[in-house]
Amino acid sequence: MKKIIIANWKMNPQTAKEAIALARGVKLGAKNIKNIEIILAIPSIFFSVVLKTISGSNLKIGVQNIFYEKNGAYTGEISALQARSILANYIIVGHSERRAMGETNEIVHKKLKLTLESGARAILCVGEKEKSDESFPKIIRDEIHTAIHGIKKQFLKNLVVAYEPIWAISSHGMGEADTPNNVYEIAILIRREFYRILGKKIAQHIPILYGGSVSEKNAAEFVSVGNVDGLLVGGASLNAKKFTAILRDVSKTKS
Ligand code: PGA
């Protein structure tokens, strides 16, 4: 399975000029990397300038959120089909920062369904709020079950799951990354859960990523020791040098 690395720019940078410069820096630094699917999940307002900047490169764009209805009078929102129509191949669904703004498991489910039906790949974020003693926190199981409930199996081949323990996200509290060993264990449990719900044929193709304070110092270890299929990178993706160092290190890992 080709590794997947997603840059989640969140609500950054503040100007189109900076967005172009950042995209250009990543484009240059990533140009020889062939074994990773690289996605820039950018603010929607920058789509056109960033698309132009990365044209002809190995970078793809993604969106950080869509609305949970198909279309209509929802001022300020964007739909899954609109995102697809401007060539966004990936849509992040259920990021913890959106859940913190009131997005329930039920809303996440609606967004996931619309995303998958649009033909985009969905990055479904799951993760517990606090460090937990449970080996497989119930909250993760609930998030997975509610999100995929009732979605036709044929659509789930485009599902990607990102394990993002909220306590490990850089903007949250200590912003201290999880350990690769813990990520290894949780990723196995998440995979096992998908095998149980969906059967091997579909579940074996669902990539599992890790996100939470990923940096150029720990990225390769998360992939090699944590044995995940890729990474979701927030803060470090806003610096082209750091982000491309992550890409280079991960591209050299085995597995
Ligand atoms: P971080 O963010 O890498 O800055 O911790 C990750 C995320 O929120 O997706």
Side-chain angles (χ1 to χ4, degrees), residues 8 10 95 97 164 168-171 211-214 232-236:
N8 180 8
K10 307 191 180 182
H95 190 278
E97 285 154 14
E164 293 213 304
I169 292 180
S170 68
S171 54
S213 297
V214 171
L232 182 48
V233 187

Side-chain angles (χ1 to χ4, degrees), residues 7-73:
N8 180 8
W9 287 7
K10 307 191 180 182
M11 202 170 69
N12 300 294
Q14 296 310 302
T15 65
K17 205 171 151 195
E18 290 167 285
I20 293 169
L22 178 53
R24 191 174 288 144
V26 176
K27 178 179 169 176
L28 279 175
K31 75 170 186 283
N32 294 321
I33 294 174
K34 309 243 167 1
N35 57 351
I36 302 178
E37 181 100 343
I38 308 163
I39 297 107
L40 306 182
I42 62 177
S44 318
I45 196 90
F46 294 145
F47 280 162
S48 62
V49 289
V50 170
L51 265 177
K52 205 163 146 203
T53 308
I54 64 170
S55 121
S57 75
N58 52 347
L59 309 179
K60 295 186 173 152
I61 59 160
V63 303
Q64 301 169 9
N65 179 43
I66 48 129
F67 195 53
Y68 60 80
E69 296 290 353
K70 217 172 191 165
N71 61 317

